[in-house]
Amino acid sequence: MSHKSLPAGPPPALNRKLAAALAAACATPLALGGLALPASADHTAVPQAVALVGSLQSEIGCPGDWQPDCAASRLQPVEGSASLYRATFDIPAGTYGMKVALNNSWDENYGAGGAAGGGDLVLSAPGGPVTFTYDHASHTLTDNVPDALGAEAGAHWLSADTIAWQAPAAEGTTYRLYSAPDGGLAVADGQVTGGSYVPLEKTNQTLDAGLAAKYPHLSGFASLRLAEGDAARAKELLKGQLLVAAVGADGQVTAATGVQVPGVLDALYQDAAGRELGLGWKGNRPELSLWAPTARSVTVHTYASGSGGDPVSSRPMEPSRDGVWSMTGEKDWKGAYYLYEVEVFVPETGKVERNLVTDPLQRGPVRQLRAQPLRGPGGQGAGPRGLEEAAETDPHQARGPLPLRTPRPRFLHHG
């Protein structure tokens, strides 16, 4: 079998807004051994051009998506400001990946947290005008679409029984972890509706020594503990919408935030560290493996051409206890193309989505999201590669999977 093992050590952290859904859906096992610190901006020259790039560009006048040289998606300097660039575009309803690229190329681009070459930001457009603002002082891109409840995630679930949060400390405050398998949590009139909750016990004003050593930037956060029975349900809870809330002595919610989950995924799925992921071959039959611990289902679609269209076949993948989904294809898949369809809760949209994604561990740049090849043993693209290596070839690839609108399948070739 021609799988390759993943390189040792943690790959780069994924975009915070995608951590619960899509880092979980297609990231490398134990992909987030540490959580990302806020990015600080480097002092770079004032750009000659600032372009909004992403899967929305073809909707706003560009000939295609992910085109840093498209003038139709440029942001314009804001009068009276030395660092702000802004534009408003009419965006059809949908979910898009985006970032900014400067000076008509990928040489300087910024994504989540203002990080150079960082992960894609996610836009959940309701349909209609959306205003985008880029701040060159911080390299951050923002939009005026309100986030779904819980999309702003200030709490960090680090192990099965521990959540870290800068929690309100007023006397009489209690804490709760709310969950909703299909989304729908809301806060109205001081109450959280649309789901159920488990109590959290505030055991310390700071993290214990072990977690503080692993996550030093969170060491000053309060430690909120799940009861043993609730901690045993962690894998189940992680597949839906999550919200941590502080409740005052009068029963009213005083604060609420979404939950970042990379730490607990690390802790719960340690057995996945030694798994061989991506594409392998067993004789003349392709084998595919994808780490997607919070997915509800994963399906492999095969296509006759790289431009997509209707799939020739659709085959479900089977999950294992370590969060890896796998399947063995057919000999006659030679010359076909494929995509994954991942059913997963997406915090950014607040609901369960069925997202078509390309394989994050396949070789070859996919700037246009073209088909991924299933090539045979010894052929180029025979084994997985991590997101960090992919970033060196194409900054768009270093994003972790996204809820993509129209990705193009990749080629299945046995060579």
Side-chain angles (χ1 to χ4, degrees):
M1 194 179 303
S2 62
H3 284 289
K4 294 183 182 178
S5 296
L6 295 170
L14 299 179
N15 182 348
R16 171 186 57 76
K17 287 188 175 183
L18 297 176
L22 298 171
C26 302
T28 305
L30 308 185
L32 295 147
L35 300 178
L37 292 168
S40 58
D42 296 323
H43 296 289
T44 60
V46 174
Q48 298 301 307
V50 175
L52 176 70
V53 294
S55 58
L56 45 61
Q57 281 182 283
S58 58
E59 306 285 358
I60 57 177
C62 293
D65 293 329
W66 302 102
Q67 296 186 348
D69 57 347
C70 178
S73 65
R74 284 182 186 168
L75 308 185
Q76 302 303 319
V78 175
E79 186 176 355
S81 171
S83 64
L84 296 181
Y85 297 78
R86 183 174 294 146
T88 299
F89 302 104
D90 192 37
I91 309 293
T95 304
Y96 305 86
M98 64 180 184
K99 61 197 320 184
V100 289
L102 308 187
N103 302 320
N104 302 311
S105 79
W106 285 112
D107 292 346
E108 187 176 357
N109 72 90
Y110 300 97
D120 292 355
L121 296 161
V122 177
L123 173 71
S124 296
V130 178
T131 298
F132 302 88
T133 302
Y134 169 68
D135 185 350
H136 192 59
S138 61
H139 300 320
T140 54
L141 174 67
T142 58
D143 61 73
N144 66 343
V145 176
D147 285 331
L149 180 65
E152 292 298 328
H156 303 258
W157 197 344
L158 302 179
S159 65
D161 65 356
T162 303
I163 293 175
W165 188 30
Q166 289 182 314
E171 186 176 353
T173 299
T174 58
Y175 307 94
R176 299 172 178 176
L177 173 64
Y178 283 87
S179 63
D182 299 318
L185 293 175
V187 178
D189 299 324
Q191 303 294 318
V192 177
T193 62
S196 59
Y197 74 87
V198 298
L200 299 172
E201 179 187 2
K202 187 177 181 181
T203 57
N204 206 323
Q205 291 288 356
T206 58
L207 293 181
D208 64 39
L211 288 175
K214 189 173 183 180
Y215 305 101
H217 58 296
L218 303 177
S219 60
F221 283 35
S223 181
L224 305 179
R225 186 66 56 87
L226 286 80
E228 183 177 355
D230 297 324
R233 297 176 52 221
K235 290 184 178 181
E236 169 194 344
L237 296 174
L238 284 162
K239 293 190 177 183
Q241 186 177 19
L242 298 171
L243 193 74
V244 171
V247 180
D250 60 357
Q252 298 289 295
V253 172
T254 60
T257 185
V259 184
Q260 298 190 43
V261 301
V264 69
L265 292 178
D266 259 9
L268 292 175
Y269 294 98
Q270 295 184 45
D271 291 346
R275 286 293 296 268
E276 297 171 332
L277 299 180
L279 167 63
W281 288 88
K282 187 175 183 179
N284 291 322
R285 302 182 69 183
E287 294 189 333
L288 291 167
S289 297
L290 184 74
W291 192 65
T294 66
R296 314 290 185 89
S297 66
V298 181
T299 302
V300 176
H301 298 298
T302 61
Y303 301 83
S305 73
S307 60
D310 294 330
V312 174
S313 68
S314 298
R315 291 274 298 275
M317 301 182 78
E318 295 296 326
S320 57
R321 293 176 60 86
D322 59 8
V324 175
W325 297 71
S326 57
M327 63 90 64
T328 300
E330 302 299 332
K331 293 180 180 179
D332 62 5
W333 283 13
K334 177 183 177 181
Y337 296 72
Y338 76 104
L339 288 172
Y340 293 121
E341 180 181 324
V342 182
E343 181 187 17
V344 64
F345 177 81
V346 180
E348 181 65 14
T349 65
K351 57 186 178 181
V352 176
E353 305 275 9
R354 287 183 176 271
N355 301 320
L356 287 174
V357 297
T358 53
D359 190 336
L361 296 179
Q362 262 284 33
R363 293 185 184 274
V366 290
R367 181 165 298 153
Q368 297 300 326
L369 300 175
R370 289 188 178 277
Q372 292 170 286
L374 279 183
R375 293 181 175 148
Q380 183 183 8
R385 97 174 160 168
L387 297 176
E388 184 173 17
E389 182 185 342
E392 297 174 1
T393 303
D394 187 346
H396 172 217
Q397 181 73 336
R399 65 184 189 281
L402 285 172
L404 302 172
R405 288 173 57 79
T406 54
R408 297 182 184 177
R410 282 195 164 180
F411 183 53
L412 291 154
H413 173 65
H414 185 273

